[in-house]
Amino acid sequence: MDIVHSTKFILDSGDLSEYRKIKDLAEKNDAQLWGATTNPSLIAKAAGLTEKGKKFTQKEAFDFQKETILEIVKIVPGAVSAEVYADLTTKAEEMVKQGREIATWHQRVVVKLPTTLEGLKARTTLRKEKINTNNTLVFSQQQIFAICLHEHIMQKKYGPIDDLWPPFISPFVGRLDDIGEDGMDLVENGMKIKKLFSHTLPASPLAIWMLEASVRKVEHIRRGILAHTELITAPASALEQWFALTQDEKDQIDSTVYAKDLQKIPYWTPDDNLLKIDNEEDFYQAIEAQKIDITHPLTEKGIVRFVEDWKTILK
Ligand code: G3P
């Protein structure tokens, strides 16, 4: 399994020309564009389909997504995340069905799942089948804790995922900033939450990677690197700015000034009893009893937004 020595960069886009452009730019600056994060609506928008007014059946849209992903895989050397279609009523079984299909596209494709109860149930099944996942739409420390605990239980029972990389967790920074909270606090605290599991697992720290997402500016990138985030995904605009900076300029970025008016997110300490959970049954009981609260209004909002985008391209 790949070992992280420094933060890897991912482009958040569905646009093939952006991948080529950012890859070249990174290389010119002795850096690397490692991976990709996509979702079906990002891909459709990038292809100009929404503007052209072209509409797809669900199957055609899925196939189109696959074609694009297979092109992106040729451009970047690392992981390419592709998202299942899920609305607020989609059941785990349906996500599993799509996830299994997506995982066959290429060895480097990782299945993106929403961080909801159904999404976690789908994670359980896919994880048992050693299909790698990226938990997306993460907005709270309890969600990060739930994913780490879930992975911890899976690793104990079924062993490491045996994939090229460990599974990913994607906290959304910019959307928290948008509501006045300091989104990078979630990433920084999340890195600490991950470490809580080191003492109980032989493979320490817990084999799971933080993928900082919804990045809007170089300050987010700088803070992520300082927090030793394994992965950062950002739109072309932010990566272009970042790769154009010299090392001195990067070091001189004041990465906190932009956040001075944002509300701090204090570290959430899990109860000792939660840390002792070591099986699926107790895990789901703790979630259903809301001892671990995996709900967040922005997760729901994110799913609704995703579905709306997706519908613009469907017949
Ligand atoms: O990586 C997540 C990203 O696609 C969401 O970004 O800017 O819409 O919050 P944004």
Side-chain angles (χ1 to χ4, degrees):
M1 200 177 280
D2 204 355
I3 305 288
V4 171
H5 296 292
S6 58
T7 305
K8 295 176 189 295
F9 293 103
I10 293 177
L11 178 62
D12 192 31
S13 170
D15 186 338
L16 293 174
S17 62
E18 280 190 350
Y19 279 95
R20 294 189 187 103
K21 186 170 84 179
I22 300 297
K23 180 192 164 123
D24 285 352
L25 183 67
E27 280 167 8
K28 277 188 194 118
N29 291 282
D30 294 324
Q32 185 192 46
L33 177 64
W34 180 77
T37 48
T38 62
N39 65 51
S41 49
L42 217 50
I43 287 176
K45 270 188 210 147
L49 300 175
T50 37
E51 287 75 13
K52 284 181 204 152
K54 185 164 180 199
K55 302 272 184 184
F56 288 94
T57 63
Q58 191 111 13
K59 162 133 189 15
E60 284 166 344
F62 211 66
D63 290 347
F64 181 69
Q65 185 190 6
K66 176 179 174 182
E67 259 171 56
T68 310
I69 297 274
L70 290 179
E71 287 304 312
I72 296 174
V73 158
K74 292 183 199 156
I75 305 172
V76 296
V80 178
S81 294
E83 191 157 355
V84 299
Y85 171 84
D87 62 24
L88 292 171
T89 63
T90 306
K91 292 286 175 206
E93 295 70 39
E94 172 55 27
M95 294 187 213
V96 166
K97 203 171 129 212
Q98 292 181 47
R100 283 183 183 137
E101 158 73 21
I102 289 172
T104 64
W105 291 352
H106 193 280
Q107 201 202 357
R108 284 190 279 118
V109 172
V110 174
V111 179
K112 236 168 146 182
L113 294 171
T115 305
T116 57
L117 180 57
E118 291 304 311
L120 278 177
K121 288 182 184 164
R123 188 184 199 282
T124 303
T125 308
L126 294 174
R127 181 61 179 75
K128 286 180 190 167
E129 295 174 16
K130 307 236 176 205
I131 291 177
N132 209 353
T133 54
N134 172 1
N135 268 95
T136 191
L137 291 170
V138 169
F139 292 96
S140 79
Q141 294 172 82
Q142 296 201 48
Q143 288 175 325
I144 293 179
F145 177 76
I147 301 159
C148 288
L149 179 58
H150 187 263
E151 181 55 27
H152 165 73
I153 294 167
M154 295 287 125
Q155 282 182 30
K156 255 184 124 169
K157 189 154 179 202
Y158 304 101
I161 188 143
D162 271 345
D163 195 22
L164 297 166
W165 314 287
F168 309 154
I169 306 176
S170 294
F172 274 38
V173 173
R175 291 194 197 174
L176 283 168
D177 286 7
D178 291 344
I179 60 160
E181 295 181 24
D182 188 349
M184 277 309 299
D185 284 346
L186 175 64
V187 175
E188 290 157 5
N189 293 339
M191 293 301 285
K192 285 194 214 158
I193 290 174
K194 235 167 63 127
K195 289 200 185 112
L196 289 174
F197 295 89
S198 359
H199 64 290
T200 46
L201 266 185
S204 92
L206 179 69
I208 195 158
W209 282 358
M210 199 65 73
L211 193 171
E212 177 187 325
S214 179
V215 161
R216 308 272 172 76
K217 46 181 131 223
V218 291
E219 287 84 350
H220 287 154
I221 297 178
R222 174 83 181 141
R223 269 178 84 179
I225 290 171
L226 292 175
H228 303 290
T229 309
E230 287 86 359
L231 308 170
I232 297 179
T233 187
S237 53
L239 288 182
E240 253 171 322
Q241 277 185 47
W242 178 258
F243 289 133
L245 297 172
T246 63
Q247 190 56 49
D248 274 355
E249 286 167 333
K250 287 174 184 161
D251 293 344
Q252 278 160 24
I253 292 175
D254 185 334
S255 53
T256 52
V257 72
Y258 82 90
K260 70 178 184 351
D261 295 325
L262 297 174
Q263 205 184 325
K264 300 296 293 167
I265 301 175
Y267 180 63
W268 171 80
T269 317
D271 189 280
D272 273 352
N273 291 327
L274 295 180
L275 274 168
K276 287 186 193 133
I277 293 177
D278 64 357
N279 62 76
E280 287 167 56
E281 204 189 331
D282 292 349
F283 173 76
Y284 283 110
Q285 248 174 33
I287 288 181
E288 267 150 38
Q290 295 209 319
K291 288 182 184 150
I292 311 170
D293 183 2
I294 58 153
T295 62
H296 193 285
L298 290 183
T299 303
E300 281 209 6
K301 231 175 144 177
I303 293 173
V304 171
R305 181 164 149 189
F306 170 79
V307 170
E308 278 165 5
D309 282 353
W310 178 247
K311 282 193 176 145
T312 59
I313 61 160
L314 290 186
K315 278 181 184 156

